[in-house]
Amino acid sequence: MSKSVKNGEVLLAIDGGGTHTRCAAYTLDGQQLAVGYGGPSNHLAVSNSQALDSIQTAIANTLHFCNLKPDDIQFVSAGFAGVDYDGAGAPDMETLLAEAGYPKALIFGDMVTAHAGALNGQPGILVLAGTGAVYFGTSSNGSSLKLGGFGY
């Protein structure tokens, strides 16, 4: 870890999918500290216990790589396969993150986080193809639309 951080000054960003889960730790000013990986965490494709194990493994690996403890984490933001663009499925993942020890979390569908990252929060259409496929778009008036996204 190249920067000293104080307790509660780290955010975790999680990308949870059907084949693997990636977790990155960031300082509050946006410096990436480490990335760790775990197994699949799509709660619609694997058991809740397997999804929880994958999330915990990804987080533990990330914290290990940057020599941090769970208490150093202020907040978790996550995009999960199995959570829809309208938030359906998010409560299930919030419960799993709380079980992992992270009750302060903001959960989105992975299509929403991928769209935000690819288009920097601007309107547009994104096509995602991985374990499954989905079209997701937003307009300048804030409306959104999803096509596909029904799994592999």
Side-chain angles (χ1 to χ4, degrees):
M1 181 169 63
S2 61
K3 181 176 181 176
S4 174
V5 295
K6 296 177 187 169
N7 182 291
E9 291 188 350
V10 177
L11 306 175
L12 294 181
I14 298 174
D15 175 20
T19 57
H20 69 275
T21 301
R22 178 176 47 201
C23 176
Y26 292 91
T27 62
L28 295 183
D29 62 3
Q31 178 186 357
Q32 185 176 5
L33 301 172
V35 177
Y37 295 88
S41 58
N42 180 344
H43 71 290
L44 300 179
V46 299
S47 68
N48 281 354
S49 63
Q50 184 176 358
L52 177 59
D53 181 64
S54 296
I55 293 165
Q56 289 175 314
T57 298
I59 291 172
N61 288 337
T62 303
L63 297 181
H64 172 75
F65 293 144
C66 57
N67 197 29
L68 292 173
K69 302 179 300 299
D71 289 346
D72 295 319
I73 307 307
Q74 180 177 19
F75 197 79
V76 175
S77 179
F80 286 106
V83 174
D84 213 339
Y85 77 103
D86 62 0
D92 296 327
M93 299 313 291
E94 288 169 355
T95 298
L96 290 180
L97 279 168
E99 286 180 40
Y102 301 92
K104 295 165 84 177
L106 189 56
I107 308 298
F108 296 97
D110 61 345
M111 71 197 77
V112 174
T113 55
H115 184 279
L119 300 177
N120 199 26
Q122 298 299 309
I125 298 171
L126 186 66
V127 178
L128 297 148
T131 307
V134 64
Y135 294 82
F136 180 68
T138 61
S139 69
S140 58
N141 71 7
S143 64
S144 57
L145 179 67
K146 174 192 87 163
L147 297 172
F150 301 111
Y152 42 90

